[in-house]
């Protein structure tokens, strides 16, 4: 899932489309392999649990958003020092860019001006995920969460190196190390882009290519003559634990997508937002099950973590592999963007003209290429580890913990603590199991 780009005001029709577009990405191709190596008796309940936890976390995040927005709206008439999320019309364009990208600005006029300032137009910057973290937790906790976001996004880009190299090496018979090297050269200049708005067009192209690939795979799985059949299905398999992190990574973009889409939702339909979110998430989970079971039924237990490798060798299959590889390549800088922005904020890079961000971006892209070459045969373990170690805390632990930190009371507070504890236990168990089994080869 790509991070949010500039989002125009949403309507009742474009809201569900935006949610679907933001969640479905290259990770969907990993799910059939996860089903075949884990078994349906584990994957189905795990996917159900993941959906429930995500919906609860999304609710907690939206409640925190509302609290923070109401607080900032009240501060319009307060002292200037209290306007931590307000932007003056006299501020620089750079200060308003991030808010505008998420459609999160709302113009207000203060009823009175402070003594040292002339009356002017102020803009409320609606809370973002990052700003909520910074206003809720202390500096140490905020830095730790920034580090987790950095590692998760870097881990996702690492899976892209492996995915593309496997696709193109099978398609054209090229050594996958060469593909990784060429991809690194392509991504180095893209990692230096400092405006996510410049990547919005490539994001749209990527979504179209992914749609073409998915439709093609579904059609082929239906018409394939020599299907493996129900005999391939198994209840519990040896690598069931790998699906824990994988199931979380499937929806990892949901948490970071909820806030920008909520910011872009006009007041006329804001009361429908959570209901639409629930419907879309449940529908996507059903599609994941359908897609996985269909591919499992068609390709059997040989279904690969890079699903396109199971397609026949012909011009059509090559077009699917190439299109999906291009789509993932376009998504690469979008996934890398949040990590680079964290570097920019921590290093106070505005004073250096973006030099630190550029240098770190190039180093990260190069380092991920080296790691990708070293672990190119362990994509399933990598996906599981990224989802378990970084995805679970960001999706389950942080939103509920944030809500309680902001004063949640009653039974919801208890449920939040239960979700936090569940997330922490699952994170540790899944991470340890994945790391311990990493060296085990079939």
């Amino acid at each position: 899932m790509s991070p949010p780009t500039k989002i125009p005001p949403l309507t009742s029709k474009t809201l569900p489309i935006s949610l679907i577009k933001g969640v479905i990405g290259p990770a969907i191709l990993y799910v059939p392999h996860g089903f075949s190596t884990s078994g349906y008796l584990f994957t189905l309940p795990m996917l159900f649990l993941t959906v429930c936890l995500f919906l609860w976390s999304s609710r907690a995040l939206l409640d925190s958003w509302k609290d923070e927005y109401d607080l900032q709206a009240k501060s319009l008439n307060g002292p200037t020092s209290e306007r931590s999320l307000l932007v003056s019309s006299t501020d620089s364009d750079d200060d308003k860019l991030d808010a505008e990208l998420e459609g999160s600005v709302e113009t207000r006029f203060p009823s009175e001006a402070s003594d040292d300032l002339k009356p002017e137009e102020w803009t409320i910057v609606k809370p973002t995920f990052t700003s909520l973290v910074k206003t809720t937790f202390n500096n140490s906790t905020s830095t730790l969460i920034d580090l987790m976001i950095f590692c998760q996004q870097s881990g996702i880009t690492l899976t892209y190196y492996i995915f593309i190299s496997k696709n193109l090496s099978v398609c054209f018979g090229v050594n996958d190390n060469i593909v990784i090297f060429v991809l690194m050269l392509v991504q180095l200049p893209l990692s230096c882009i400092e405006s996510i708005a410049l990547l919005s067009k490539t994001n749209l192209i990527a979504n179209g290519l992914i749609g073409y690939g998915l439709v093609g795979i579904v059609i082929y799985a239906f018409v394939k003559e020599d299907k493996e059949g129900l005999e391939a299905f198994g209840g519990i398999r040896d690598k069931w634990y790998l699906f824990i992190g994988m199931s979380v990574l499937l929806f990892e973009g949901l948490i970071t997508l909820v806030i920008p889409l909520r910011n872009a939702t006009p007041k006329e339909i804001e009361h429908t937002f959570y209901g639409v979110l629930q419907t879309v998430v449940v529908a996507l989970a059903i599609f994941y099950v359908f897609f996985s079971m269909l591919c499992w039924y068609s390709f059997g237990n040989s279904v690969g973590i890079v699903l396109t490798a199971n397609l026949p060798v012909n011009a059509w299959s090559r077009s699917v592999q190439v299109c999906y590889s291009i789509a993932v390549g376009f998504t690469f800088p979008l996934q890398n963007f949040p990590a680079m922005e964290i570097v920019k904020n921590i290093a106070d890079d505005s004073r250096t003209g973006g030099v630190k961000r550029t240098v770190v971006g190039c180093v990260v892209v190069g380092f991920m290429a080296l790691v990708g070459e070293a672990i190119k045969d362990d994509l399933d373990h990598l996906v599981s580890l990224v989802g378990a170690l970084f995805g679970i805390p960001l999706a389950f632990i942080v939103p509920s913990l944030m809500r309680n930190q902001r004063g949640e009371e009653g039974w919801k507070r208890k449920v939040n603590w239960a979700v936090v504890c569940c997330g922490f236990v699952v994170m540790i168990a899944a991470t340890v199991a994945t790391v311990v089994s990493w060296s085990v080869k079939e």
Side-chain angles (χ1 to χ4, degrees), residues 146-183:
D146 281 344
L147 180 61
M148 284 192 294
I149 296 174
F150 179 88
C151 292
Q152 176 181 259
Q153 299 307 124
S154 298
I156 292 173
T157 58
L158 175 56
T159 67
Y160 290 180
Y161 270 120
I162 300 175
F163 179 87
I164 294 176
S165 67
K166 293 297 182 183
N167 257 295
L168 297 186
S169 63
V170 170
C171 186
F172 299 110
V174 182
N175 186 284
D176 40 16
N177 291 338
I178 296 177
V179 178
I180 291 176
F181 179 74
V182 172
L183 178 60

Side-chain angles (χ1 to χ4, degrees), residues 17 21 59 73 97 103 123 137 173 217 256 266 270 297 307 312 340 386 438:
I17 294 174
K21 183 182 70 174
R59 178 78 269 178
L97 177 60
T123 298
F137 302 106
I217 292 172
T256 55
E270 64 180 8
Y297 180 84
L307 182 58
M340 296 302 97
V386 173
W438 195 297

Side-chain angles (χ1 to χ4, degrees), residues 18 25 69 80 99 111 115-116 124 134 154 175-177 212 216 219 240 310 322 342 368 400-401 407 430 433 439:
S18 297
Y69 177 77
T80 305
S111 58
D115 295 337
D116 56 339
I124 295 179
K134 293 184 182 300
S154 298
N175 186 284
D176 40 16
N177 291 338
Y212 168 74
I219 293 175
W240 56 269
N310 289 98
V322 171
I342 289 173
M368 289 299 105
S400 292
L401 196 61
S439 59

Side-chain angles (χ1 to χ4, degrees), residues 158-360:
L158 175 56
T159 67
Y160 290 180
Y161 270 120
I162 300 175
F163 179 87
I164 294 176
S165 67
K166 293 297 182 183
N167 257 295
L168 297 186
S169 63
V170 170
C171 186
F172 299 110
V174 182
N175 186 284
D176 40 16
N177 291 338
I178 296 177
V179 178
I180 291 176
F181 179 74
V182 172
L183 178 60
M184 180 192 70
L185 295 180
V186 172
Q187 296 300 333
L188 281 174
L190 294 178
S191 68
C192 301
I193 295 177
E194 294 193 45
S195 174
I196 198 172
L198 297 177
L199 301 172
S200 59
K201 292 184 179 180
T202 58
N203 189 30
L204 291 175
I205 296 173
N207 288 325
L209 295 176
I210 288 174
Y212 168 74
L214 285 180
V215 171
I217 292 172
V218 169
I219 293 175
Y220 176 74
F222 264 119
V223 302
K224 185 173 182 289
E225 295 181 357
D226 54 337
K227 297 181 176 65
E228 295 294 328
L230 295 175
E231 294 76 12
F233 290 178
I236 295 289
R237 294 288 170 82
D238 293 339
K239 293 185 176 181
W240 56 269
Y241 48 85
L242 292 181
F243 192 76
I244 298 175
M246 184 178 292
S247 65
V248 176
L249 197 65
L250 284 175
F251 293 97
E252 57 84 20
L254 175 63
I255 291 299
T256 55
L257 185 67
V258 166
I259 295 300
L261 286 178
R262 177 62 184 85
N263 285 336
T265 303
K267 291 184 177 181
E268 309 87 74
I269 62 171
E270 64 180 8
H271 64 282
T272 68
F273 183 86
Y274 188 68
V276 174
L277 175 65
Q278 285 180 309
T279 302
V280 167
V281 170
V282 172
L284 285 176
I286 294 174
F287 176 73
Y288 285 145
V289 173
F290 161 75
F291 182 74
S292 301
M293 299 298 282
L294 173 63
C295 292
W296 193 5
Y297 180 84
S298 182
F299 301 116
N301 292 316
S302 62
V303 58
I305 182 70
V306 180
L307 182 58
T308 49
N310 289 98
L311 299 178
V313 181
N314 55 39
W316 167 79
S317 66
R318 288 183 177 178
S319 72
V320 171
Q321 290 172 318
V322 171
C323 285
Y324 232 111
S325 297
I326 294 174
V328 175
F330 280 157
T331 310
F332 189 110
L334 286 165
Q335 288 289 5
N336 199 37
F337 192 89
M340 296 302 97
E341 288 302 284
I342 289 173
V343 172
K344 179 179 179 179
N345 293 334
I346 292 179
D348 192 17
D349 205 21
S350 58
R351 298 181 180 180
T352 66
V355 173
K356 292 180 182 179
R357 184 190 188 282
T358 299
V359 172
V360 173

